[in-house]
Amino acid sequence: MAFNSLSFLVFFVIVAAAMALTNTAALKRLLSGKLIGFRHVLLLLASYVFYGWWNWKCCLLLLMLTAVAFFSSQSCRKSRFALCAGVIFPLLVLGIFKYFNFFVESFCELFGIIRRGSLNLILPVGISFYTFQALSYIIDVHRGKIGAEKSFVKVALYIGFFPQIVSGPIVKAGEFLPQLDEDRNISPANLEKGVQYFAFGLFKKAVIADNISVFVDAVYSNPAEFSGLTVLLAILGYSIQIYCDFSGYSDMAVGCARCLGYRLPRNFNMPYISKNVKEFWKRWHISLSTWLMEYLYIPLGGNRKGKARTCLNLFLTMLIGGLWHGAAWTFVAWGALHGAALCVHRVWRAWREKHGSEKEDLPGKVLSVLLTFAYVSICWVFFRADSFETATEIISAVFTWKAGVTHISSWVVFGLTVTAAATAAACVRSRRHGTAPEGYYPAANLNSVPGLALFFIFLGLISALAYTGETPFIYAQF
C-alpha cells in the first residue's frame, strides 16, 4: 500500500474519519478518561493493517521486535543481560533477513564454493527503519535520556506508526513518545497543513521522480548504447530522481502524521546546495545521519581520540551506513566514497584553519556547491548501478565522452529546473527574513479563495503530469 496509490487514499480516509469520530461529544462521554488511549489503539491497529498489506507475516516480526524493545527497556538500565538482549536481538534479526544471502554468496565467490541451493528470505519492508527506532529507544533508556515507557501500546505505536514505518524518518523516542501523552487528533489547522505537505511530496514523487525514472532506467539498463552526453544527463537525472523520490516520501509521511495531529522531524533540507560532503549529510536523510552520529560514530570514539582515529571513525560510520542501505558491494563502495570525502574534508578544513581564513567569497561558494553536487552525483552511480561493471561503464562513458545515441530527456531538464527554482525561492525567502535556508514547505491559506484556487490548480497539475506506471519508492527496499 504505497502512499501514491488509490488503496492508500481509501485507507487514510477511513483512518482519518475514525479518528475524527473520536472528537464527537457522545464518544468523549462514553470513553471518559480513556479517550486518548482509545485513539492510540485505533492508530496502532491501523498501522498493523497498513504494514500487513504487503505481507501479514511481517506483522509478527514487527510485534516480536516491539515486545523485545518493551521488555528490555524495563530493566536495561540495571541489567546488562536485558540491554544486550534488546540490542543484539534486533541486530541479529536485521542481519539474518537483510544480509544472510549477501554474505553467503560473497563467501562462496571468495573461496570458489558452488552453492547447491539457496535460502531465499522475504525482506520485510521497512525493517531497517523500525529496527533502528527500536535500538535507539533501548539505548536512550539505558543512557537515562528518557524513562522506560510503561505502556506497551505506546511503544508499539512509536515503533510501528504507519506514516513513517516503511521509509522513515527515523524518529527518536524522545521526539515521539511525549506526543502520545498529549491530546492530539485531527483538527482543521492540522489538516490544512498536512494535506498540502502530502500534495507537495506527491508532486515530487509522481510528477518529477517517476517520470525521470523511465529515462534513467533505460540508460542504466544499457549504457553502452548511449552517448556520453546522454549518460551524463542520466547521472544528473538520478540525482534529482532519488532526491524527489525520497524527500517526496518524507514529505508525505510528515503530511499524514500532521493530519492526524502528530509531528515528525524534517528529513531533508535542500541537500544540493551543500558546500561540502559534511554539510550534505547534515541536509540529506537527516534522521539517518543523526542516528549514525549518535549511536555509531560517537560510541566508536568520535573525534576524541586524535586525528587519525577520527578519520577512521568517519570512514567506518559511512561504510556501515552504505551497507545499511543494501546488501551489495556497490552500496559499500558508495559508503566508502562518502567516508573518504568526509576524511578529506576534515583534513582540508584543519589545514585551512591553520594556514588561513575559512571565509569564502561568492564565486568560491558557488564553485564548492557545484563540486559537491558533482561528487555526490558520481557517488549516486554506485548507489543506482546493479554492479561495479555497470557503474564503471557509466562513469567511463562520461569521462571519455563516448559516442552513441543522444537523447535529451525533457523530464530531467524539467526536474533540474523545478528543483533549482524551488531552492532559489527558499534561499531568497530566507534572506528576506534574515535566517539560514531551511528548505521549503509551501503552504497556502486554504481559508481564502486565492489559496484554495491555487491548491486545486496544483492538484490538477499533479493529475495531468503524474506518471501512471508502477514505480515503488526507492527507499522502500531498505
Side-chain angles (χ1 to χ4, degrees):
M1 194 191 302
F3 280 170
N4 56 335
S5 66
L6 181 60
S7 56
F8 177 78
L9 177 61
V10 174
F11 164 81
F12 189 77
V13 168
I14 293 173
V15 173
M19 292 294 291
L21 285 175
T22 64
N23 283 330
T24 60
L27 199 55
K28 286 182 178 180
R29 286 196 303 269
L30 178 64
L31 295 173
S32 186
K34 300 180 180 179
L35 179 62
I36 295 178
F38 177 78
R39 288 172 180 163
H40 295 163
V41 172
L42 189 62
L43 280 178
L44 182 60
L45 291 175
S47 297
Y48 271 74
V49 170
F50 174 82
Y51 190 64
W53 194 269
W54 281 277
N55 189 324
W56 67 268
K57 296 177 183 177
C58 294
C59 290
L60 301 176
L61 177 65
L62 176 61
L63 183 61
M64 181 172 59
L65 286 175
T66 301
V68 170
F70 175 76
F71 290 110
S72 172
S73 67
Q74 303 305 306
S75 54
C76 66
R77 295 195 66 182
K78 298 179 180 179
S79 169
R80 184 170 293 274
F81 173 79
L83 174 64
C84 291
V87 172
I88 294 175
F89 182 77
L91 289 175
L92 186 63
V93 170
L94 180 63
I96 291 174
F97 278 97
K98 196 165 185 177
Y99 305 108
F100 178 81
N101 286 332
F102 169 65
F103 285 117
V104 169
E105 289 173 3
S106 298
F107 180 84
C108 292
E109 289 179 6
L110 181 63
F111 294 100
I113 300 173
I114 300 176
R115 296 182 67 186
R116 298 297 180 185
S118 61
L119 177 61
N120 293 319
L121 298 175
I122 298 175
L123 180 63
V125 64
I127 187 172
S128 298
F129 290 92
Y130 61 75
T131 298
F132 270 24
Q133 288 201 181
L135 287 171
S136 68
Y137 170 63
I138 296 165
I139 295 172
D140 283 352
V141 171
H142 171 71
R143 291 175 174 175
K145 288 188 174 182
I146 58 173
E149 177 57 58
K150 301 302 181 183
S151 168
F152 180 83
V153 171
K154 289 183 180 180
V155 174
L157 185 55
Y158 157 66
I159 295 175
F161 189 44
F162 76 85
Q164 46 79 227
I165 188 175
V166 174
S167 296
I170 302 171
V171 185
K172 294 181 181 178
E175 297 172 325
F176 189 80
L177 286 177
Q179 298 185 55
L180 298 181
D181 294 328
E182 301 168 355
D183 185 10
R184 290 175 175 256
N185 198 9
I186 290 178
S187 67
N190 285 329
L191 284 174
E192 181 180 0
K193 295 227 187 248
V195 169
Q196 292 186 77
Y197 294 166
F198 186 91
F200 185 51
L202 183 61
F203 179 85
K204 285 183 178 179
K205 166 64 178 171
V207 175
I208 299 179
D210 289 353
N211 281 301
I212 289 177
S213 70
V214 178
F215 170 71
V216 172
D217 291 347
V219 174
Y220 270 80
S221 63
N222 191 11
E225 183 180 336
F226 296 95
S227 67
L229 175 61
T230 305
V231 173
L232 175 61
L233 199 61
I235 292 175
L236 296 176
Y238 187 70
S239 296
I240 301 302
Q241 179 196 346
I242 192 171
Y243 167 67
C244 289
D245 188 283
F246 192 20
S247 69
Y249 182 96
S250 296
D251 292 341
M252 285 188 267
V254 170
C256 286
R258 185 64 175 267
C259 287
L260 298 172
Y262 296 90
R263 293 179 181 253
L264 299 180
R266 174 181 291 170
N267 212 18
F268 290 86
N269 185 11
M270 301 190 299
Y272 291 148
I273 66 168
S274 304
K275 296 186 290 296
N276 52 67
V277 176
K278 179 182 178 181
E279 184 181 349
F280 173 80
W281 279 104
K282 289 183 177 181
R283 294 176 175 272
W284 176 275
H285 203 346
I286 299 170
S287 62
L288 175 64
S289 57
T290 303
W291 197 99
L292 292 173
M293 174 71 69
E294 187 168 342
Y295 301 106
L296 185 58
Y297 173 70
I298 293 177
L300 284 173
N303 58 0
R304 304 186 303 275
K305 297 186 178 182
K307 297 179 180 178
R309 180 62 183 272
T310 298
C311 289
L312 178 62
N313 293 339
L314 282 171
F315 187 79
L316 288 176
T317 299
M318 293 311 302
L319 201 66
I320 295 172
L323 190 59
W324 175 87
H325 280 82
W329 289 112
T330 49
F331 288 115
V332 176
W334 174 78
L337 287 170
H338 275 274
L342 287 173
C343 294
V344 170
H345 170 260
R346 187 170 186 84
V347 173
W348 167 250
R349 190 182 65 179
W351 185 87
R352 290 199 63 180
E353 288 176 349
K354 184 177 181 180
H355 294 89
S357 173
E358 281 197 287
K359 292 183 178 180
E360 290 182 321
D361 54 13
L362 182 59
K365 291 179 180 179
V366 173
L367 180 61
S368 296
V369 170
L370 293 176
L371 289 175
T372 301
F373 177 68
Y375 183 81
V376 168
S377 296
I378 292 296
C379 291
W380 283 134
V381 174
F382 290 92
F383 191 94
R384 170 60 179 81
D386 54 7
S387 65
F388 276 110
E389 291 75 18
T390 302
T392 53
E393 187 175 1
I394 287 173
I395 293 173
S396 63
V398 173
F399 285 98
T400 59
W401 211 242
K402 184 180 72 66
V405 176
T406 299
H407 174 65
I408 307 301
S409 170
S410 58
W411 281 111
V412 172
V413 176
F414 176 78
L416 286 167
T417 303
V418 171
T419 303
T423 301
C427 291
V428 170
R429 183 185 62 190
S430 65
R431 184 178 291 274
R432 286 178 179 175
H433 291 85
T435 59
E438 293 185 352
Y440 32 83
Y441 274 122
N445 180 10
L446 300 187
N447 292 317
S448 66
V449 174
L452 199 60
L454 186 63
F455 178 66
F456 277 107
I457 291 173
F458 185 65
L459 292 181
L461 285 174
I462 295 175
S463 300
L465 301 176
Y467 179 69
T468 56
E470 286 286 333
T471 51
F473 287 93
I474 294 174
Y475 264 69
Q477 63 182 303
F478 306 135

